[in-house]
Amino acid sequence: MDVLIGAGVLAATIRLATPVALAALGGVVTERSGVVNIALEGCMLVGAFFGVFAADRTGSLPAAIAAAVVAGILLAAVHALAAITFRADQIVSGMALNILALGLTSYLDYQLYSTTGTPSTIPLVPNVHLGFLENAPVLGGAIGDQSAIVWATLAIVVLLQLFLFRTVPGLRLRSVGEHPRAADTLGIDVRRTRYWAVLASGALAALGGVYLSLSVAGSFSDNMTNGRGFIGLAAMIFGRWTPVGALGAALVFGYGDALSVSLQGVKVAGVEFPVQLLSTIPYLLTVLAVAGFVGRSRMPAADGQPYESEGH
Amino acid sequence: MRQPSFEWTRGPAIPVVSVLFALVLGGLFVWISGHDPITAYAALLRGAFGSPYDISETLLIAVPLLLTGLSVAVAFRAGLFNIGAQGQLLVGAVAAGWVGAQWPDLPAIVLLPLTLLAGILGGAVYGGIAGWLKAARGVNEVITTIMQNYTIVFVMHWLLQNGPMQAPNAFGTPASAPIGAGAVLPVIVPDFLVPSSRLHAGVLLALLATVAFWFLLWRTSLGYELRAVGLGMRAAAQAGIDPRKRMVIVMAIAGGFAGLAGMIQVSGLFHRVYDGFSAGFGFDAIAVALLGKNAPLGVVLSALLFAAFSRGGTLMQSDAGISSHLVEIVEALVLFVIAAETVVRAVARRWGTPVKAVS
Amino acid sequence: MPSMKRFLAFALMTMTVVAGCGGAGTASPSPSAAASSAAAVPTVAPTATAKAVKVGLVTDVGGLNDKSFNALANQGRLDAEKDLKVQTSVTESKKQEDYVPNLTNYAQQGYDLVIAVGFLMTNATWKVAKQFPNVKFAIIDGAPADDSGKTQNLPNVANLFFKEQEAGYLVGVIAATMAKNKVGKATHNTVCSMGGIPIPPVDRYIAGYQDAVKTISPTTTILNGYSNDFVDQAKGKEVGLSHISKSCDILFQVAGASGLGYIAAAKEKGVYAIGVDADQAYVAPGTVLTSALKRVNKAVYDTVAAVTTNSFKAGDNFFSAANDGVGYGTLDAVVPADAKAAADQALAGIKSGKITPKDTVQVK
């Protein structure tokens, strides 16, 4: 059945999973260090906008991506300041920054591009054409023509998995999220580590945003991330706070999302499924997958808890 | 998961100073964008409380915020994060709208309680599913409730656009058939007091629910157990409480509060279910609950604050000419500064003001 | 905080229904007004005697930056403010609960004309207009409806309707002609459309489009789909890629910002697209053949003008091809002369009443 596992569906799965995966990776990094960052949605949104904005102003793709990532890092830095330095409520701070990001990007888009739209000539992230796969069945269609950011995401997953679980700095980061007191005793700077982790999460989420604006859409529109930062948080939990797991979870979600398109107009036993209900597939599929295969997961022990060093 | 850093009950100094500080910061933004902050805030106040009519509209927005806020708060109290108040509200609205329209000729004394029950039950079942999945299969409630929020939106698209609940006379608007007169919550402000007010008896229901919230958590053994679970699984287990069993109950109760909000929007305001209905209350609710420190009075006050921003923000645009996005930015700043109240606290300490006692 | 709603995906919920149909980019070429819009500076009345007419516009939850329906309405307001020397103001609705108080606010302040943008406000308009019989109201895409849902015209409400199916028909003629003659990249004799959600203002466009294709080129294959969304470009793009993989090479979007993703799919794969509501030629030159125009700005402008000249007409007012209320937009260079000629012929036929485009979708 092509509508279930055809090359087109698989390619769509990968495309739709990528932004969710990047948000989820950001979530993994920050929560492994013990900071909850639900401002990932906002980081994606500023990444999406400032990517387009910089592409328009500079005409340079690297500059655009750099600007997007910097924007995501800056927003995350505000969260880090609130969550780590001021020990603010992390969820409220994250929500505030999401609203801020939505208001700011919509405001700027309206001021700059309301009548003309974002320019159609901005440089976009190119797709990577794998010529040697051209004639391969399924595989060629599925991965033969994906955005460069898709491949970058895959690389980030591998590197991040290795970093977190195979390197000393990765171990330190995780220990800060599990036993900050013990880590502190061992001479690890808990706050500094958490700062870096939160900033990295902003960068990763912003990359997800710039994927949406400069690879998928080629333009910015209000709230174009449409909740993917939150789906990413769910994917992070689903993936048990590991990069590889997060990718897997994002792929499950992306597959459901792809099905909601590919099954449109398909008749089963002469009956066509209402198109509105098809759109529930990714959400139901995700819950079923977690309930059926993943089950209980354990969050980092000190997740969401501000740390106050002894001497403070 | 979080450390209560101030209690409303211990005095309003810190939150009030935080809001003032945030408003100054927001005013700076307004000023930078080329508008007059004084005019802006005057419009904000006028929009929220300027006339009896405005006050009644602010209260109308506060009702669903309060109820969904209680929904989130009761879950927090038991250590669960209910992101699903929005979805639960919608299910409650659909259930109430269906019952209210199904038997439109029943007298109010039968139909209104029935509709009320349907709304609460609808939300409770939807919330209970998340609790059950957590208890039985270990599915994190954050995942389930996020996914449930989306699911009900698309189910409502189907129900109301060309599915079984679509009204035959819905003039192209995706909506359900109107509920019977017996399911309508009456307007409680006479016209000679506040002309054309929409303020309905749902306000009283919401206050009743707040009392019920307080009574449940602090005056019943179930409430004690829930709070014990919230304070720590191990402690609860030592006290002989099975936290898993409580998860279903807690999420059902949380869903019930949100479902009541949905019922009130249907029975009090719209008298039918619209697609794309009551957007966002359940998300504002998270902030409402946290700002209110998950305490009854705190949730009431923060629901009022949010509602005032909602109505007042509109006038900032229509009368002071400030972009609604700028209004959003100001709101975000207020929320952020309140979250980061330790800043205010630190400043207060340095200046040696009486709020020191609070910390 | 009204906007916090959006904080989760939730604009999703908000926008869905509401944003109505639409696309990116406003038709109007006068951006200058946008920045100063909010100021609503009172201006000197054209006649020495009358005080300035005050006009309030209330958007639906799609908001001013939808680059479509609400944006066009706002453009009409700004044009009127400039040309007709009226004083105007705008309010964005953040949720459905806001419609009644937002309309009431203007009525209470003694505005002369209050314009409700969008069919979601039919009941709210009825409620408020009944209470303020001395204030004039206009509602776009709808008529006042009482609590039971029945249309009840009021003597102080103008209902502004559009014949979207005529605009859909015109762009359908262009698509069909190019598909039939295999012009440029349109080689597969297959044309497609994507709506946001299946509601009448969306489906009327698609119905007219399909009607034209069936009439002009019966052999052409027609596909239709929905993104179930008005903001998510990624979803719109997936529907587009799916359609293209089924040999579509002309894609007509009726899905707001989500539809921009549909156009992006056409651009990426080197096929053609057709815009909606506003003139979307700028979105992707060389890809966007033309746009199905719904001149909401004209409807707003004309209604304001009618109030200033005391010729306000309550009840149904239709904006159709006959009065330039709908039409087709800028044609790309790739559109051949015979396609333009066919469209112009169809336009003349619609104007004279010889052609009546269907308003129900045939190919779901």
Side-chain angles (χ1 to χ4, degrees):
Chain A
M1 284 286 281
D2 261 8
V3 295
L4 288 182
I5 49 161
V9 175
L10 297 181
T13 299
I14 294 168
R15 284 193 297 267
L16 292 164
T18 300
V20 174
L22 283 165
L25 292 173
V28 169
V29 175
T30 174
E31 295 213 0
R32 277 287 178 184
S33 84
V35 180
V36 171
N37 179 10
I38 67 169
L40 292 174
E41 172 80 6
C43 293
M44 288 182 87
L45 204 50
V46 294
F49 177 80
F50 285 100
V52 167
F53 177 72
D56 173 31
R57 291 300 148 103
T58 66
S60 148
L61 183 63
I65 292 176
V69 168
V70 167
I73 287 176
L74 284 178
L75 195 71
V78 179
H79 183 63
L81 187 72
I84 302 167
T85 302
F86 292 123
R87 299 194 300 283
D89 187 295
Q90 299 178 3
I91 292 175
V92 178
S93 161
M95 289 182 58
L97 293 175
N98 283 330
I99 302 169
L100 182 72
L102 181 65
L104 187 69
T105 54
S106 304
Y107 180 72
L108 292 174
D109 185 64
Y110 187 66
Q111 297 299 328
L112 294 169
Y113 304 117
S114 66
T115 47
T116 55
T118 48
S120 62
T121 49
I122 52 174
L124 301 184
V125 177
N127 281 8
V128 178
H129 298 271
L130 301 178
F132 62 94
L133 279 177
E134 216 150 73
N135 298 316
V138 184
L139 206 59
I143 62 168
D145 188 29
Q146 290 284 4
S147 164
I149 293 184
V150 169
W151 295 105
T153 304
L154 206 60
I156 292 170
V157 168
V158 174
L159 292 176
L160 206 55
Q161 184 83 18
L162 292 175
F163 169 79
L164 281 177
F165 298 102
R166 293 278 183 277
T167 70
V168 174
L171 177 69
R172 285 194 182 135
L173 189 145
R174 285 187 294 126
S175 69
V176 161
E178 292 287 347
H179 301 290
R181 179 83 53 216
D184 196 2
T185 320
L186 292 173
I188 300 170
D189 188 332
V190 174
R191 292 187 180 200
R192 178 186 296 241
T193 310
R194 287 184 169 180
Y195 257 96
W196 280 114
V198 174
L199 298 188
S201 77
L204 286 165
L207 191 60
V210 86
Y211 169 77
L212 285 171
S213 67
L214 285 185
S215 183
V216 172
S219 66
F220 178 84
S221 51
D222 280 12
N223 195 30
M224 70 183 302
T225 50
N226 203 13
R228 285 182 174 79
F230 291 93
I231 302 287
L233 284 179
M236 165 197 77
I237 300 171
F238 181 175
R240 298 182 171 215
W241 285 270
T242 68
V244 171
L247 177 68
L251 285 170
V252 169
F253 181 84
Y255 177 64
D257 225 359
L259 284 186
S260 74
V261 173
S262 76
L263 290 176
Q264 279 192 25
V266 173
K267 287 190 173 68
V268 179
V271 182
E272 196 179 314
F273 214 59
V275 61
Q276 295 93 344
L277 291 183
L278 289 175
S279 286
T280 64
I281 292 176
Y283 313 107
L284 296 180
L285 187 68
T286 302
V287 171
L288 285 179
V290 180
F293 304 111
V294 181
R296 205 165 299 280
S297 47
R298 197 186 68 82
M299 67 165 79
D303 202 5
Q305 294 173 1
Y307 180 68
E308 197 167 354
S309 60
E310 298 274 71
H312 197 67
Chain B
M1 196 156 175
R2 67 190 36 76
Q3 305 186 330
S5 35
F6 68 74
E7 293 286 346
W8 286 91
T9 47
R10 280 207 237 153
I14 289 285
V16 168
V17 172
S18 296
V19 170
L20 288 180
F21 180 58
L23 287 178
V24 170
L25 210 63
L28 211 60
F29 244 86
V30 170
W31 182 68
I32 290 168
S33 75
H35 297 277
D36 175 16
I38 305 290
T39 318
Y41 285 136
L44 180 83
L45 270 180
R46 205 148 30 83
F49 308 112
S51 71
Y53 177 82
D54 293 323
I55 294 171
S56 75
E57 284 294 331
T58 301
L59 289 176
L60 277 181
I61 296 290
V63 166
L65 284 173
L66 167 58
L67 287 168
T68 49
L70 293 176
S71 167
V72 176
V74 77
F76 269 142
R77 282 285 178 186
L80 295 173
F81 188 7
N82 178 24
I83 302 194
Q86 181 64 26
Q88 293 146 14
L89 177 150
L90 293 175
V91 173
V94 167
W98 185 80
V99 166
Q102 194 66 22
W103 297 284
D105 300 325
L106 286 178
I109 194 150
V110 184
L111 190 56
L112 195 57
L114 219 58
T115 311
L116 184 76
L117 204 66
I120 295 175
L121 268 182
V125 168
Y126 210 51
I129 291 173
W132 177 78
L133 279 171
K134 173 142 187 163
R137 304 290 316 162
V139 183
N140 190 303
E141 78 279 5
V142 171
I143 300 185
T144 317
T145 51
I146 288 182
M147 300 299 156
Q148 280 183 319
N149 283 334
Y150 285 93
T151 305
I152 182 61
V153 166
F154 290 110
V155 169
M156 279 176 80
H157 282 354
W158 170 68
L159 284 172
L160 299 168
Q161 283 167 18
N162 50 12
M165 274 183 80
Q166 186 197 25
N169 59 355
F171 34 82
T173 308
S176 70
I179 56 175
V184 169
L185 285 166
V187 170
I188 56 169
V189 184
D191 221 42
F192 65 82
L193 271 183
V194 184
S196 66
S197 170
R198 303 192 289 171
L199 192 65
H200 51 68
V203 175
L204 307 175
L205 284 179
L207 289 177
L208 214 61
T210 312
V211 174
F213 172 88
W214 167 80
F215 188 82
L216 169 81
L217 281 173
W218 283 277
R219 288 292 178 274
T220 66
S221 58
L222 176 67
Y224 169 78
E225 289 175 19
L226 297 184
R227 286 185 295 129
V229 171
L231 289 175
M233 293 278 183
R234 197 174 304 157
Q238 278 164 3
I241 302 166
D242 178 3
R244 289 200 192 184
K245 277 198 190 135
R246 300 288 170 260
M247 285 171 183
V248 185
I249 298 174
V250 168
M251 288 304 290
I253 293 172
F257 279 117
L260 175 61
M263 177 270 173
I264 288 177
Q265 296 308 93
V266 170
S267 284
L269 266 193
F270 294 112
H271 306 157
R272 61 171 81 214
V273 184
Y274 283 100
D275 201 2
F277 174 87
S278 287
F281 287 124
F283 311 112
D284 294 7
I286 299 167
V288 167
L290 291 175
L291 286 188
K293 299 294 166 192
N294 303 319
L297 186 61
V299 176
V300 170
L301 290 176
S302 63
L304 283 172
L305 177 73
F306 276 64
F309 255 105
S310 171
R311 285 314 312 153
T314 306
L315 250 74
M316 274 174 88
Q317 181 174 33
S318 66
D319 290 20
I322 289 165
S323 154
S324 67
H325 302 306
L326 269 179
V327 177
E328 283 174 12
I329 292 172
V330 173
E331 291 166 0
L333 288 174
V334 171
L335 193 54
F336 185 79
V337 170
I338 295 175
E341 61 181 305
T342 43
V343 186
V344 177
R345 200 184 289 275
V347 173
R349 249 198 305 269
R350 186 158 305 166
W351 289 352
T353 55
V355 288
K356 190 177 181 181
V358 175
S359 57
Chain C
M1 312 202 175
S3 47
M4 189 162 323
K5 67 178 175 210
R6 294 173 170 185
F7 115 89
L8 291 187
F10 304 108
L12 165 65
M13 318 189 173
T14 350
M15 77 316 170
T16 46
V17 187
V18 183
C21 29
T26 54
S28 167
S30 53
S32 60
S36 62
S37 67
V41 182
T43 42
V44 183
T47 53
T49 50
K51 69 178 175 67
V53 167
K54 287 166 84 176
V55 179
L57 186 86
V58 177
T59 78
D60 71 13
V61 298
L64 284 177
N65 202 21
D66 67 350
K67 298 180 180 174
S68 172
F69 191 67
N70 289 300
L72 285 171
N74 193 42
Q75 196 56 59
R77 170 184 80 92
L78 296 170
D79 293 345
E81 180 170 280
K82 204 170 53 181
D83 299 356
L84 304 172
K85 309 281 183 254
V86 294
Q87 184 185 333
T88 74
S89 166
V90 65
T91 305
E92 286 172 277
S93 301
K94 297 293 183 182
K95 41 173 83 86
Q96 294 198 3
E97 279 78 353
D98 292 343
Y99 294 149
V100 167
N102 287 355
L103 295 169
T104 304
N105 177 36
Y106 284 132
Q108 278 180 339
Q109 295 192 29
Y111 275 64
D112 303 276
L113 172 65
V114 181
I115 303 173
V117 185
F119 65 103
L120 283 174
M121 276 184 261
T122 51
N123 183 244
T125 303
W126 177 78
K127 281 200 172 102
V128 180
K130 236 180 18 153
Q131 272 153 12
F132 296 93
N134 297 324
V135 177
K136 294 184 176 64
F137 290 81
I139 174 163
I140 290 165
D141 273 356
D146 66 15
D147 287 335
S148 73
K150 281 194 208 66
T151 293
Q152 257 200 28
N153 281 326
L154 294 173
N156 57 330
V157 183
N159 321 328
L160 315 180
F161 286 106
F162 290 84
K163 296 197 169 171
E164 290 93 349
Q165 66 271 27
E166 296 181 353
Y169 193 92
L170 295 175
V171 299
V173 167
I174 293 169
T177 310
M178 290 180 67
K180 189 172 66 175
N181 299 335
K182 301 205 179 343
V183 176
K185 300 164 212 157
T187 53
H188 295 95
N189 200 22
T190 305
V191 303
C192 291
S193 53
M194 179 185 82
I197 56 177
I199 49 171
V202 168
D203 277 351
R204 282 199 293 268
Y205 271 120
I206 295 171
Y209 177 73
Q210 295 181 346
D211 189 19
V213 175
K214 285 196 178 246
T215 308
I216 305 281
S217 175
T219 62
T220 299
T221 307
I222 302 174
L223 292 176
N224 183 38
Y226 295 93
S227 58
N228 269 323
D229 192 289
F230 283 103
V231 298
D232 198 326
Q233 293 208 49
K235 277 191 189 166
K237 188 174 185 188
E238 287 304 330
V239 176
L241 292 173
S242 160
H243 279 170
I244 293 166
S245 75
K246 293 171 184 161
S247 303
C248 282
D249 34 34
I250 299 177
L251 288 73
F252 175 36
Q253 73 99 350
V254 193
S258 184
L260 294 181
Y262 196 61
I263 295 178
K267 185 181 176 186
E268 180 179 310
K269 295 294 175 190
V271 296
Y272 301 127
I274 296 172
V276 77
D277 282 359
D279 196 326
Q280 299 187 318
Y282 70 86
V283 174
T287 299
V288 176
L289 298 173
T290 184
S291 305
L293 300 185
K294 174 171 171 175
R295 296 194 177 95
V296 182
N297 50 339
K298 175 182 162 61
V300 168
Y301 186 96
D302 288 1
T303 308
V304 176
V307 170
T308 61
T309 57
N310 286 322
S311 53
F312 176 83
K313 177 176 166 273
D316 292 351
N317 293 264
F318 283 99
F319 293 86
S320 62
N323 59 6
D324 279 336
V326 302
Y328 66 84
T330 311
L331 294 175
D332 194 81
V334 73
V335 177
D338 64 335
K340 181 184 186 321
D344 287 337
Q345 199 189 342
L347 184 60
I350 293 171
K351 280 183 178 175
S352 69
K354 268 192 290 190
I355 301 174
T356 312
K358 290 197 171 72
D359 58 6
T360 50
V361 175
Q362 301 173 68
V363 183
K364 297 258 180 189

